[in-house]
Amino acid sequence: PYSVVVAQLLDMGNLDAAVATARILLRYRPRNVLMVGIAGGVRNEVALGDVVIARQACYYEPAKLKPRQDEPRERQFHSDALLLGRAQHYEESDWTTQIGVGRPGVDVPGDGRPRAHIGTIACGEKVIADLAELARIARLCPKMIAVAMEGAGVARAVLTTDRPPRYLEIRGVSD
């Protein structure tokens, strides 16, 4: 049997996610932590309704502010190899037949079923609605397939505990 703890953040962002995760880690001492939520997908990489699984979270916000040009200092948080391997194996099964609702959008390639993608999820403090900003983030986070706002906070909290549990970030593409 499994015991599952579900937490919903009061607000978006890495700080709230890190605080909530730290409290859960102290109280429940879980063996696995799954960050599950929604993300913005990168065009031509994923489609609405797809599932993205983080091989790593790329926290792109840290930087040294300089007079002429800022110096980015992004951080990478890698997912647990065992959980990532299990997600890759699960992706090969026909899980899409169990979905009972229609996929959003009309112009989706293939059979119209959602697909799972494994890659980099970029993580920052802002909702990204500017293609130029998305391109800048893509230069910092190669192989980016989605952007979100909490994964780095959860990963940081997990990785700074005495006995870190396994960690994996999974998101549905909502826009």
Side-chain angles (χ1 to χ4, degrees), residues 48-172:
L48 285 175
D50 281 353
V51 174
V52 292
I53 301 162
R55 181 176 307 281
Q56 63 197 15
C58 175
Y59 186 44
Y60 60 82
E61 293 282 355
K64 180 177 185 178
L65 303 179
K66 297 168 82 174
R68 294 190 182 186
Q69 185 176 5
D70 295 347
E71 179 183 301
R73 294 183 175 178
E74 79 282 348
R75 300 207 47 210
Q76 305 287 327
F77 298 98
H78 296 275
S79 294
D80 177 77
L82 178 65
L83 291 180
L84 185 60
R86 288 183 177 169
Q88 286 173 318
H89 178 70
Y90 187 75
E91 192 272 327
E92 293 171 2
S93 69
D94 195 13
W95 58 272
T96 59
T97 60
Q98 299 175 29
I99 299 172
V101 296
R103 181 181 176 130
V106 284
D107 295 329
V108 290
D111 60 7
R113 290 184 183 174
R115 290 183 166 64
H117 305 269
I118 297 174
T120 300
I121 298 178
C123 191
E125 305 304 327
K126 303 167 198 78
V127 175
I128 307 299
D130 176 18
L131 291 178
E133 182 64 15
L134 190 63
R136 183 191 73 76
I137 295 168
R139 288 190 295 277
L140 296 173
C141 304
K143 300 184 182 182
M144 174 180 68
I145 58 174
V147 292
M149 296 177 62
E150 296 84 17
V154 174
R156 179 74 172 158
V158 165
L159 294 173
T160 57
T161 61
D162 290 337
R163 293 185 186 129
R166 299 178 187 286
Y167 169 75
L168 186 66
E169 181 177 1
I170 305 166
R171 295 185 176 265

